[in-house]
Amino acid sequence: MVAIDFERMRREAAPRWFSRVPVWQGIGGVPPTLLVLAGIVSVQVGAALATELFAATGPAGAVSLRLFFAGVVLLVFWRSSLRIERRALPVVLGYGAVLALMNLSFYEAIDRIPLGMAVTLEFLGPLAVALAGSRRWIDPAWAVLAGAGVLFLTRAAGQVPWTGVLLALGAATCWAGYILLGAKLGEKTSGGGGLALAMAFGGVLMAPIGIAGAGTSLLHPSVLAAGFGVAMLSSVLPYSVELEALRRIPPRVFGVLMSLEPAVAAVAGLLVLGQRMNPMQWAGIACVVAASAGATRTGRAEL
C-alpha cells in the first residue's frame, strides 16, 4: 500500500500522457473495489515471488532491485512533477530512507517466517497509527483484538524464529513512520513526483548493501528480469490502481478494504510458496484483519 496523503492525491490528475495509455484507460473501466483487491493481490504475489530471488541475491539484493526499478519507472511516469521546493527535500529524503528500511526489514522477515505471519505483524504499524488518531471508547477493544491475534500467530506456530518476528515488528514501526511522513510528503509536493524521488533515493541507499551481499549476481539477466517483475507487482502496479480507485471511492472504504491484506498474504504464501498455516494462525490473522478494519472504520467516522 502506498501510504501517502490520498485525500490530496485523489484530487491530483495523473500525467496527461499517462492517462492516454490504453492499459490505463482499461483500468478506468474496472470497479474501484476490484482495483483495490487487485492491488492487494499484486503486492502479496510480488512479495511471494521476491522470496524466490533470495537464493541468488539475498533479501537486501531483492530490495535493491525492487526499489531501483520502481524508482526508474515512477521517475519516468512523473517526470513532469519532479521539481520540488528546497523545504520539501528533507521530507522526501526521510520518506525514501524509511521506505528502504521498511522493505529491508520486511524482506529479511519473510526470509525467516511465513509471508502471512510477517504481513500480519507488519500491519500492526498502520493499526497503531489508526488507533493513535482516534479517541473513541471502542479503541481499546481493537488493540486487545489485535494483541490476541499476535498471540495466536506466534504461540500456534511451535518454534517461531523470533528474529523474523522482531524484523516484522521493525517493518511495522517503519510503516507507521512511512504513513506519518507520507502525510507531510503530500503536503509539500504535488502529483507523484515526491514519491518517485523518494523511491529513487531509497534505491540509492540500498544499492551498496545489495551489492555487498549479492555482488555480480545482481546483473544476471534472469535476476534483473525477476527484480523488474517484483518492482512492477509490488510497487508500480499497486500504486497505479490504488490511485485510480481512490478517485472513485471514499478513503474510509479504501482503508477497510486494505485491511484484507494480511489474509491475502497468507493465501499467497500458501498458493505460491506452499506455506501452510494452522487454524489458530488463521484465527490470529482474522483478529488482526478485524481490528484493522474496525479501527479504520471508527477512526474515519469521527473525522
Side-chain angles (χ1 to χ4, degrees), residues 51-199:
T51 62
E52 303 297 319
L53 274 174
F54 291 173
T57 67
V63 173
S64 300
L65 290 174
R66 170 183 169 178
L67 294 182
F68 170 76
F69 283 120
V72 169
V73 172
L74 290 176
L75 285 173
V76 172
F77 280 178
W78 294 100
R79 63 182 183 272
S80 62
S81 59
L82 293 180
R83 291 184 178 180
I84 60 172
E85 297 180 7
R86 183 174 299 179
R87 62 187 179 87
L89 187 59
V91 176
V92 171
L93 297 182
Y95 191 73
V98 170
L99 177 67
L101 183 57
M102 178 179 69
N103 281 282
L104 178 60
S105 300
F106 177 69
Y107 275 25
E108 291 285 356
I110 63 175
D111 192 35
R112 294 167 171 82
I113 60 177
L115 178 62
M117 180 183 293
V119 172
T120 303
L121 293 172
E122 187 191 30
F123 226 73
L124 296 178
L127 176 57
V129 173
L131 291 175
S134 176
R135 293 293 182 270
R136 295 174 65 90
W137 64 269
I138 200 171
D139 291 343
W142 303 133
V144 170
L145 186 60
V150 172
L151 286 177
F152 286 156
L153 271 175
T154 55
R155 295 295 179 88
Q159 290 293 104
V160 177
W162 284 99
T163 304
V165 171
L166 292 175
L167 285 165
L169 293 176
T173 302
C174 290
W175 196 351
Y178 177 74
I179 292 171
L180 299 176
L181 279 172
K184 295 293 184 182
L185 186 72
E187 293 172 3
K188 296 182 180 296
T189 63
S190 61
L195 174 66
L197 290 170
M199 188 81 71

Side-chain angles (χ1 to χ4, degrees), residues 192-275:
L195 174 66
L197 290 170
M199 188 81 71
F201 179 66
V204 170
L205 288 180
M206 281 302 306
I209 303 174
I211 292 171
T216 57
S217 64
L218 287 175
L219 301 178
H220 193 280
S222 62
V223 171
L224 289 173
F228 180 78
V230 168
M232 295 299 292
L233 287 170
S234 299
S235 298
V236 177
L237 179 60
Y239 170 73
S240 301
V241 297
E242 288 166 7
L243 178 60
E244 176 62 25
L246 274 158
R247 292 192 174 97
R248 294 188 270 151
I249 59 174
R252 177 179 59 83
V253 176
F254 177 85
V256 172
L257 289 172
M258 289 303 299
S259 299
L260 295 173
E261 196 159 340
V264 175
V267 173
L270 174 64
L271 297 180
V272 180
L273 303 174
Q275 296 174 341

Side-chain angles (χ1 to χ4, degrees), residues 5-14 78 186-187 190-191 243 246-248 251:
D5 188 351
F6 285 120
E7 277 294 341
R8 176 169 179 167
M9 286 297 295
R10 71 199 294 250
R11 295 193 297 267
E12 299 284 352
W78 294 100
E187 293 172 3
S190 61
L243 178 60
L246 274 158
R247 292 192 174 97
R248 294 188 270 151

